[in-house]
């Protein structure tokens, strides 16, 4: 009988390779990318001003993302968002668009038409903030490791 693999968290917080487009006032200690995955509700990544903003996460092995979770600060929420994936050195290709609500709640998005990838780029084309800043307390991916 074949085993069924159920979706689960696909991040290993201490070994992930990730980069962000910017950090507010270059203050990485207070607003740096490390706060995206530290499971602390009191810390956050805060981008500098300007659009678009983005986050690139490289996984330890190929994955298939089925769901993505965001916890924004209301007033600093990404708008016109999309996920782009790539495998190896291929170019990033858009595979899912979504529109978060402007609030402080954890938001979950079911990913449709996903693909196998080893890197994902989260792109925030705009922000609910006039200056284009994004404040994100949590980012998580649910899926299957290949």
């Amino acid at each position: 009988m074949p085993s069924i693999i159920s979706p689960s968290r696909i991040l290993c917080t201490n070994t992930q390779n990730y980069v962000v487009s910017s950090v507010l006032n270059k203050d990485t200690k207070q607003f740096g990318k490390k706060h995206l995955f530290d499971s602390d509700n009191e810390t956050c990544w805060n981008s500098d001003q300007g659009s678009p903003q983005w986050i690139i996460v490289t996984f330890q092995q190929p994955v298939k993302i089925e769901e993505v979770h965001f916890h924004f600060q209301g007033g600093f929420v990404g708008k016109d968002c999309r996920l782009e994936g790539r495998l190896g050195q291929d170019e990033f290709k858009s595979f899912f668009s979504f529109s978060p609500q402007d609030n402080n709640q954890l938001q979950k998005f079911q990913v449709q038409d996903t693909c196998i990838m080893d890197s994902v780029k989260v792109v925030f084309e705009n922000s609910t903030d006039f200056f284009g800043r994004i404040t994100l307390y949590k980012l998580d991916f649910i899926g299957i490791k290949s």
Side-chain angles (χ1 to χ4, degrees):
M1 179 181 225
S3 63
I4 297 174
I5 300 173
S6 60
S8 62
R9 290 186 74 228
I10 53 178
L11 289 176
C12 296
T13 56
N14 60 349
T15 58
Q16 287 310 123
N17 178 18
Y18 45 96
V19 294
V20 294
S21 53
S22 66
V23 175
L24 183 63
N25 299 325
K26 295 184 169 84
D27 186 352
T28 57
K29 184 175 181 182
Q30 187 171 2
F31 301 117
K33 64 184 181 180
K34 65 185 176 201
H35 298 303
L36 285 169
F37 307 110
D38 66 3
S39 300
D40 184 346
N41 292 332
E42 301 297 317
T43 63
C44 63
W45 166 64
N46 203 141
S47 76
D48 217 334
Q49 61 185 347
S51 293
Q53 297 292 333
W54 49 262
I55 302 164
I56 297 174
V57 177
T58 301
F59 301 100
Q60 294 177 336
Q61 66 189 77
V63 299
K64 184 175 181 182
I65 297 172
E66 296 190 0
E67 192 172 281
V68 62
H69 299 178
F70 295 94
H71 184 179
F72 292 98
Q73 170 68 46
F76 299 89
V77 176
K79 291 180 9 183
D80 305 321
C81 305
R82 71 180 179 275
L83 297 180
E84 299 177 355
R86 76 173 175 200
L87 189 58
Q89 297 302 313
D90 292 345
E91 295 290 318
F92 278 102
K93 293 183 180 153
S94 181
F95 67 91
F96 180 68
S97 297
F98 58 100
S99 297
Q101 295 179 351
D102 187 5
N103 64 39
N104 297 329
Q105 304 299 312
L106 178 65
Q107 300 181 53
K108 301 178 180 183
F109 297 92
Q110 296 287 329
V111 177
Q112 306 299 321
D113 301 323
T114 190
C115 54
I116 294 177
M117 67 196 82
D118 57 20
S119 296
V120 65
K121 184 176 185 180
V122 183
V123 180
F124 309 103
E125 285 294 336
N126 300 295
S127 170
T128 57
D129 173 57
F130 179 76
F131 297 103
R133 295 170 294 190
I134 304 287
T135 302
L136 190 56
Y137 289 91
K138 178 180 182 175
L139 172 60
D140 209 355
F141 299 98
I142 307 301
I144 299 170
K145 295 177 183 178
S146 295

